[in-house]
Amino acid sequence: MNISALKRELDGMKIEDNPAIAQQKSRDFYWYSPVLKRQLENVTADLVVSPKNQAEVVRVLAACHRLGIPVTPRGAGTGNYGQAMPLSGGVVLSLAEMSEITTIASGRVICGPGAILADIDRATRTHSGQELRLHPSTYNTASIGGFIAGGSGGVGSINFGGLRDFGNVIRLRVVTMEAEPKVLDLTGEDLHKVTHAYGTNGIIVEVEMPLTASYDWIDVIVGFDSFMGAARYGNALGCQDGLLTKLITPIAAPVPQDYFKRHQRFFRSGQSICLVMVAPHSLDAFLAFTRREGGEVVMNAASMSEEEKKGLPPTFELAWNHTTLRALRVDPAMTYLQSLYPFPNQLALVEKMDAMFPGEVFSHLEFVRFDGNITCFGLPLVKFTTEERLDEIIRLHEENGCPIFNPHRYTLEEGGMKQTDDIQLAFKREADPQGLLNPGKMIAWENPDYDYRSGKTFLFKGLQRAG
């Protein structure tokens, strides 16, 4: 790999080749998974390039194409399964500096891929009382481009579903990796070519997202004597069309008591909880509904003084993958899974799986709107013992009708898609004919005959060398 030739070609651009910094910028939160921690420990880029605009992105991709050097895009590095880790070395393309917010209008915002989600909301709230529809629990640090390329949904999915649902992204501007890179504006069904594709088939250089009305969301935590009490409550709350919520997260004891250090004073021993974000105008009706459903409000930020709220993270930083992060900080042997409990049997499936692994798997649900129906994803915590046992827990979920989106795999197919995405594969052939964009993440490109249902981890040949 002719890195010195590349440096000459990119003279005048912001480049970092210090090995320690290159390695740091080649990392995400892959260590959430003990499997990926072992596999990806030695992955590192040769160079970090930080373009300031679209023209510089075009320049980098053209030069790397000419020299045959792989390029892995990176937002803020808050992904969880190696999406932004350069399995074949080469260039990490950091888009953090392309963070300008260029247009705010009724129902939409246009910005660079490096814009941080919380910064976008601050700007749109100030401008016109609007906010993004969806954000991950890493809201304060994650970039919008990284969220679209690596995320699937999050806070707000109870109202709007997932990022790949029609309407949740308006337009993406993407640069291809060819001898003469093209700049394409994708809308409508063409967006599926690049959403949740880890940058394997184009670099996002501009994003247009829908906005919704913004509120000073109120954090509430509701306690229950049993986890299924919390789960049934969460499901019923999600079905209340007149109550505006943004987050509904049931979590089984003893997770809150053991891992939510700053909130521990609110929980009784053995109490399962449901985390909620509720709009101020819905609060009284929400409290009435909660009383009727037998929930005990253990924390209501609306009735707390500034002094009482001091030092408490927002509830969304206890939810989604922050639940896993908080557990890992206390007990490094913890990891997690991602599952779907399909509608209309979600509660029966939740009850069955919750009882199956006592003391080993701890239930955590996120209620979402999925194809117009209220159902839930699971992000259960798992006490890790061996990779074989982890695979067995996954198999038992799948055999019981709960698909697992495996966070212990770094490929698109094994993690989220569960199948070859023919649209993304066809677009990669067009946009990245040499296969230099984020190599190793799309099995269908690297090894079309591979059966990823075999359960064996696909080890990309570049990674076998790296290891």
Side-chain angles (χ1 to χ4, degrees):
M1 219 181 293
N2 197 341
I3 296 297
S4 49
L6 180 65
K7 283 189 198 161
R8 288 194 296 277
E9 293 234 9
L10 301 182
D11 185 47
M13 284 185 62
K14 186 176 173 184
I15 285 173
E16 181 58 73
D17 60 358
N18 176 321
I21 293 174
Q23 182 170 53
Q24 182 207 338
K25 294 286 188 194
S26 301
R27 296 267 177 276
D28 60 11
F29 288 83
Y30 73 104
W31 46 266
Y32 274 33
S33 160
V35 181
L36 295 181
K37 193 168 193 286
R38 174 178 60 74
Q39 288 176 350
L40 302 182
E41 202 61 75
N42 297 314
V43 166
T44 185
D46 298 276
L47 203 62
V48 180
V49 183
S50 300
K52 292 185 171 62
N53 52 44
Q54 179 181 300
E56 289 195 346
V57 172
V58 170
R59 189 176 156 198
V60 175
L61 294 184
C64 288
H65 181 273
R66 200 159 43 246
L67 295 165
I69 293 172
V71 174
T72 301
R74 173 192 171 91
T78 60
N80 297 118
Y81 17 88
Q83 298 108 308
M85 292 180 68
L87 302 185
S88 295
V91 167
V92 159
L93 190 71
S94 170
L95 297 159
E97 304 212 353
M98 293 175 63
S99 59
E100 196 183 351
I101 298 165
T102 49
T103 305
I104 301 170
S106 176
R108 60 180 70 210
V109 60
I110 301 174
C111 59
I116 301 299
L117 295 155
D119 293 341
I120 298 172
D121 271 359
R122 266 191 288 276
T124 55
R125 281 190 187 117
T126 305
H127 178 275
S128 51
Q130 301 181 95
E131 66 185 26
L132 292 164
R133 290 178 173 185
L134 305 171
H135 68 77
S137 62
T138 47
Y139 176 67
N140 286 303
T141 48
S143 69
I144 186 71
F147 182 40
I148 291 164
S152 55
V155 183
S157 285
I158 186 60
N159 299 314
F160 294 104
L163 272 173
R164 276 175 70 92
D165 292 348
F166 279 119
N168 281 336
V169 179
I170 298 173
R171 177 180 60 87
L172 295 174
R173 180 167 291 171
V174 174
V175 179
T176 65
M177 191 163 183
E178 305 169 78
E180 292 189 10
K182 293 188 193 72
V183 179
L184 307 172
D185 278 323
L186 304 179
T187 59
E189 57 204 2
D190 286 341
L191 289 165
H192 286 161
K193 294 172 178 176
V194 292
T195 50
H196 203 69
Y198 303 177
T200 52
N201 52 20
I203 302 295
I204 298 169
V205 292
E206 187 176 84
V207 173
E208 185 170 352
M209 295 297 278
L211 298 172
T212 186
S214 133
Y215 298 98
D216 293 325
W217 297 95
I218 295 166
D219 289 340
V220 183
I221 303 178
V222 185
F224 295 87
D225 292 336
S226 71
F227 172 69
M228 281 314 297
R232 288 189 188 97
Y233 167 83
N235 194 80
L237 177 58
C239 294
Q240 291 293 308
D241 290 337
L243 294 179
L244 185 56
T245 56
K246 195 174 181 177
L247 179 79
I248 303 175
T249 307
I251 298 175
V255 172
Q257 293 80 354
D258 289 352
Y259 305 129
F260 296 170
K261 291 298 186 191
R262 296 199 188 155
H263 286 79
Q264 277 167 330
R265 67 181 191 263
F266 299 111
F267 314 129
R268 278 186 288 103
S269 173
Q271 191 171 47
S272 291
I273 63 169
C274 187
L275 306 169
V276 184
M277 288 167 69
V278 62
H281 61 266
S282 283
L283 182 64
D284 291 340
F286 162 80
L287 293 171
F289 168 81
T290 299
R291 278 193 297 275
R292 195 186 78 189
E293 296 293 314
E296 177 195 346
V297 174
V298 297
M299 191 202 96
N300 174 0
S303 58
M304 291 163 68
S305 68
E306 287 310 310
E307 191 54 39
E308 288 171 310
K309 287 190 281 197
K310 211 170 160 182
L312 288 179
T315 49
F316 68 76
E317 287 187 359
L318 303 174
W320 290 90
N321 243 327
H322 261 69
T323 313
T324 313
L325 180 61
R326 292 190 186 278
L328 272 164
R329 281 181 179 158
V330 177
D331 181 356
M334 297 306 284
T335 188
Y336 73 116
L337 289 173
Q338 299 177 143
S339 62
L340 171 66
Y341 295 98
F343 179 88
N345 307 315
Q346 65 269 28
L347 289 175
L349 289 167
V350 164
E351 188 160 26
K352 188 173 187 183
M353 300 319 294
D354 181 61
M356 199 173 281
F357 312 99
E360 185 180 21
V361 178
F362 305 93
S363 294
H364 160 203
L365 306 176
E366 295 290 349
F367 277 91
V368 297
R369 188 173 287 277
F370 198 73
D371 286 337
N373 298 307
I374 298 299
T375 189
C376 52
F377 285 112
L379 285 96
L381 294 175
V382 181
K383 212 176 240 323
F384 180 75
T385 48
T386 65
E387 290 183 27
E388 291 69 29
R389 176 57 179 161
L390 191 60
D391 288 340
E392 191 177 1
I393 293 170
I394 290 170
R395 182 177 58 75
L396 287 164
H397 274 82
E398 303 234 302
E399 283 175 3
N400 282 283
C402 305
I404 292 281
F405 306 99
N406 193 342
H408 305 283
R409 301 286 187 265
Y410 55 75
T411 61
L412 284 164
E413 292 94 337
E414 294 166 297
M417 299 291 184
K418 316 297 280 181
Q419 60 186 14
T420 295
D421 188 318
D422 294 324
I423 294 171
Q424 291 188 346
L425 178 60
F427 186 59
K428 185 169 176 73
R429 290 190 183 114
E430 259 174 69
D432 179 25
Q434 291 191 57
L436 292 170
L437 281 175
N438 205 354
K441 305 292 169 58
M442 190 187 280
I443 299 179
W445 174 273
E446 310 293 344
N447 181 359
D449 301 325
Y450 180 80
D451 177 16
Y452 39 83
R453 283 170 292 270
S454 68
K456 296 186 178 64
T457 302
F458 168 76
L459 273 175
F460 172 52
K461 58 183 181 290
L463 185 64
Q464 286 166 327
R465 283 198 298 274

